[in-house]
Amino acid sequence: MADQLRFVKEGGKYYIECTYPEIPEGYEWGLGITVFSKDGTYITYSPVGRNPKWLIPAEGAFRKEATDVTNIKDVDFITILISLDHLKTESLGKLNIVYSMDKSDMRAKFIPESGTIPIENYSSTFDFAKMFQW
C-alpha cells in the first residue's frame, strides 16, 4: 500500500491520497498517519478516532485535505504505520515510515510482531520523493 500513498499539494492546499490495494477476504488494512508540527503538536489520521476531520477510510480510495496543515514550514516530520491484519490471527507486523521535512531522517522499516522474523530495512530503496510531495 505504501506505493499508493501520496502527500500532495494543489491550489495551496495539502492532501493525503491513497488507493488501498485489493486484499483477500478475511484481511483488512491498518493505516495511521501522524503529522508532527515544530511546536510539538500533532495530528493523527486513521480510520478510527473521535475527530471526524482526521478520519480516513479503511478501504477503497480517498483524497483527504489536511486542513490543519496551513504552512508546510511548520511541519517537522511525518510518521506512517501500515499493516495488513487478518481478522483472526491479527498482524504479522507493521511497515513504519518516518519522513523529516528537512530530510535529516528518512526511514522505512518492516517491524514484525514476532521476534523470530527479522526487521527488514527498506530505507535505502524506498521512494520517499514519490510519496512526499508536500
Side-chain angles (χ1 to χ4, degrees), residues 82-127:
I82 300 172
S83 64
L84 181 60
D85 305 321
H86 189 273
L87 299 177
K88 293 183 182 174
T89 60
E90 298 184 7
S91 171
L92 293 176
K94 294 177 177 30
L95 180 62
N96 182 16
I97 301 167
V98 176
Y99 180 79
S100 292
M101 300 309 285
D102 66 3
K103 297 181 176 48
S104 64
D105 189 9
M106 300 187 315
R107 292 178 272 147
K109 293 181 181 183
F110 176 75
I111 303 168
E113 292 293 324
S114 168
T116 61
I117 301 171
I119 291 174
E120 292 283 334
N121 190 341
Y122 298 104
S123 300
S124 63
T125 58
F126 191 82
D127 192 348

Side-chain angles (χ1 to χ4, degrees), residues 7-71:
F7 296 79
V8 297
K9 181 181 178 184
E10 287 181 13
K13 296 180 180 182
Y14 300 94
Y15 297 92
I16 302 168
E17 300 176 338
C18 186
T19 300
Y20 289 94
E22 292 292 322
I23 52 177
E25 190 173 325
Y27 287 85
E28 64 183 11
W29 286 109
L31 176 60
I33 301 165
T34 305
V35 179
F36 291 88
S37 297
K38 291 178 181 174
D39 67 4
T41 61
Y42 62 90
I43 304 153
T44 299
Y45 297 92
S46 75
V48 295
R50 286 186 255 153
N51 193 328
K53 73 178 184 175
W54 301 328
L55 290 176
I56 56 176
E59 59 187 10
F62 69 88
R63 177 180 169 101
K64 178 76 172 182
E65 183 181 350
T67 56
D68 289 323
V69 178
T70 56
N71 186 345

